Amino acid sequence: MSPVLESTARALLRRIAVEQAESRLPSLAVAVVRDGDLAWFGSRGLVGEAAPTRDTQYRIGSITKSMVAVVVMRLRDEGRLDLLDPIGKHVPGTPVGEVTVAQLLSHTAGLTAEPPGQWWERTPGMPVEELLAKLGPETPRHRPGRRFHYSNLGFALLGELVARQRGVSWAQAVRAEVLEPLGMGRTTTRPSAPHANGYAVHPWADVLLPEPEHDAVALAPAGQFWSTVDDLARWAAFVAGDTGGVLAPATVAEMREPATVDDGDFWTGGFGLGLQLARAGGRRLAGHTGSMPGFLATVWADPADATGVLFLTNTTSGVSRTLLTEILTIVDQHEPRLPAEWRPVAAEAGLLELTGPWYWGPSAYALRLLPERGLSLAPIGTAGRASRFVAQDDGTWLGLDGYYAGERLSVVRRADGSVSHLDLNTFVFTRTPYDPAADVPGGVDEGGWQGCPTL
């Protein structure tokens, strides 16, 4: 552990003490993760007769979904499925077989939020065959792809996809492919001592009501797991990019990309592929919230500075929505990150000659070198399309972000080997504005640049 400063620890403890007391939480466990290590842990309240520890299990609810999503992405990376596949290709016989795997992962499939039957979180679960048989014309609520609509049912279908692809239960697949490789041995489908019991707190009196716990069976992929602070700290590091070989970092980055938003144009919350997203205090966070009878949990991670934060508590409702963002703010205020030291690096002569100003028509752009032969192309002095590019084996560069994400940048050379222009998916960038020697767009007008024209 690389601990926070004593003054930071005191401020963090004060914040969770206020939360536990004012929100009337039976127990609360909170942690901060930095660079893959647990930097701070604090707890308040009691589990049994003692304070919760880093090894105390709590139910984590829908955080389970993200772990199921990782196995789905592994299947994609192995070529066993495509994210554009209809779910009916892998789980046939449902009335919603046309919705895609990607839509289920991002909650844009338009399915009903809850499965048919009684409230699944408070009743024993049904086998998957029974669940599939109960689905009917009312299962879709919206046109697929139209909007964000959270669906527990959708992840029941994804769990069944995983089971059919792997030939074992969804939980066995997640354990073998995700939990064990990441060292998350205390994440289980049912409680294992030491664990907290779930409670509801009376709204008008300081008394507790025990909440039920059961196997959700077909709905288990939507929220069955129990976990600990130590295990979720490792999970936060994974979401931030320390993937431990379970997935390629680029695949986890893909999961963190916004696929949909749930609060309008200036979004603060949304979803990627199995990961919940949030923007707060200048940070772009990825992770997931969790809620089951008697339990609340959340994990957020910021890949920009490898920082994570999480909490676990055994109450049905009541935790402040801003608890974890305020924890991050305390850390930022007390221990702001130092920028990495600048150091010169070697650059290939052939790449160095590409740097500097380029023009798309009359618009000026600057090309800069990035680590590992990468390139950055951004407008000079004005707003415009900026993108980063990563070198490819064929001598081109592939766009990573912005308007040109996924597009190819090529360096076009003359017969003598000198650089003529850049071709970015048919857009030509030249060393002078509207270079007349370029085929497209060329000089545009034979008269060239002129003074004020006569009207």
Side-chain angles (χ1 to χ4, degrees):
M1 179 189 296
S2 53
V4 300
L5 300 174
E6 183 177 346
S7 58
T8 309
R10 174 62 183 175
L12 293 171
L13 181 60
R14 162 70 181 171
R15 179 63 188 86
I16 71 166
V18 169
E19 187 69 34
Q20 189 270 338
E22 295 186 353
S23 297
R24 300 187 304 142
L25 309 177
S27 69
L28 174 65
V30 181
V32 174
V33 180
R34 291 192 302 200
D35 299 319
D37 294 325
L38 192 67
W40 178 81
F41 164 73
S43 66
R44 300 288 288 183
L46 299 175
V47 172
E49 298 181 354
T53 71
R54 291 163 44 184
D55 193 47
T56 303
Q57 270 194 343
Y58 291 77
R59 198 165 187 181
I60 62 173
S62 291
I63 298 172
T64 306
K65 292 181 174 72
S66 299
M67 300 171 186
V68 174
V70 167
V71 182
V72 175
M73 297 303 290
R74 284 172 58 88
L75 289 166
R76 192 286 303 271
D77 286 356
E78 293 168 15
R80 296 175 64 94
L81 60 81
D82 192 289
L83 295 184
L84 297 181
D85 285 347
I87 189 62
K89 179 178 179 179
H90 304 285
V91 184
T94 78
V96 293
E98 77 282 1
V99 304
T100 69
V101 174
Q103 288 170 339
L104 292 171
L105 286 169
S106 60
H107 297 281
T108 57
L111 304 190
T112 178
E114 315 300 342
Q118 295 179 306
W119 190 356
W120 71 274
E121 292 179 338
R122 282 170 169 76
T123 56
M126 66 182 79
V128 67
E129 296 79 11
E130 182 179 345
L131 172 65
L132 296 177
K134 285 180 176 291
L135 302 182
E138 74 287 350
T139 303
R141 295 290 196 256
H142 307 280
R143 171 175 52 80
R146 177 188 172 201
R147 56 168 293 165
F148 168 78
H149 186 67
Y150 193 88
S151 177
N152 288 297
L153 174 62
F155 268 80
L157 295 177
L158 289 173
E160 182 62 11
L161 178 154
V162 166
R164 296 190 185 194
Q165 284 287 331
R166 292 307 196 204
V168 296
S169 73
W170 72 271
Q172 288 174 305
V174 173
R175 172 158 297 283
E177 300 181 36
V178 181
L179 303 179
E180 290 180 356
L182 294 179
M184 296 171 61
R186 285 280 288 150
T187 301
T188 58
T189 55
R190 302 301 291 277
S192 174
H195 68 84
N197 293 318
Y199 295 104
V201 179
H202 195 286
W204 312 119
D206 293 332
V207 293
L208 304 177
L209 180 71
E211 289 273 25
E213 183 278 328
H214 60 266
D215 186 349
V217 193
L219 265 294
Q224 188 71 35
F225 276 146
W226 295 65
S227 194
T228 66
V229 163
D230 276 350
D231 275 16
L232 289 189
R234 181 63 189 93
W235 182 248
F238 172 87
V239 173
D242 182 5
T243 65
V246 170
L247 277 180
T251 299
V252 178
E254 181 183 0
M255 295 176 71
R256 294 193 304 256
E257 293 174 0
T260 184
V261 301
D262 61 6
D263 58 359
D265 293 338
F266 298 99
W267 69 276
T268 59
F271 267 85
L273 297 174
L275 289 175
Q276 198 169 350
L277 310 175
R279 296 200 299 192
R283 291 181 178 271
R284 291 178 66 117
L285 304 172
H288 217 291
T289 58
S291 171
M292 288 297 286
F295 294 95
L296 297 171
T298 296
V299 177
W300 289 124
D302 185 351
D305 64 358
T307 296
V309 64
L310 64 98
F311 81 81
L312 296 161
T313 187
N314 56 334
T315 185
T316 299
S317 62
V319 177
S320 302
R321 292 177 60 88
T322 60
L323 170 62
L324 291 188
T325 55
E326 289 178 24
I327 292 291
L328 286 171
T329 298
I330 290 170
V331 174
D332 289 342
Q333 290 174 343
H334 284 72
E335 301 181 30
R337 284 273 190 173
L338 300 178
E341 291 183 352
W342 177 85
R343 294 180 181 178
V345 295
E348 299 175 19
L351 292 181
L352 200 58
E353 69 170 333
L354 300 179
T355 62
W358 290 87
Y359 296 88
W360 177 57
S363 301
Y365 282 73
L367 188 74
R368 296 180 59 88
L369 294 187
L370 299 176
E372 300 180 359
R373 305 185 72 246
L375 300 176
S376 167
L377 186 65
I380 298 174
T382 61
R385 298 167 177 171
S387 292
R388 295 172 301 145
F389 298 83
V390 62
Q392 302 296 290
D393 292 338
D394 63 0
T396 65
W397 282 263
L398 182 67
L400 291 177
D401 49 22
Y403 183 83
Y404 299 112
E407 307 291 358
R408 294 277 179 161
L409 171 66
S410 303
V411 178
V412 180
R413 296 183 181 273
R414 303 181 183 91
D416 63 2
S418 63
V419 176
S420 168
H421 60 274
L422 307 178
D423 187 318
L424 180 47
N425 192 34
T426 76
F427 292 151
V428 171
F429 289 76
T430 57
R431 282 297 195 184
T432 59
Y434 278 127
D435 183 351
D439 291 336
V440 179
V444 181
D445 189 284
E446 293 181 0
W449 296 96
Q450 306 168 26
C452 183
T454 301
L455 299 179

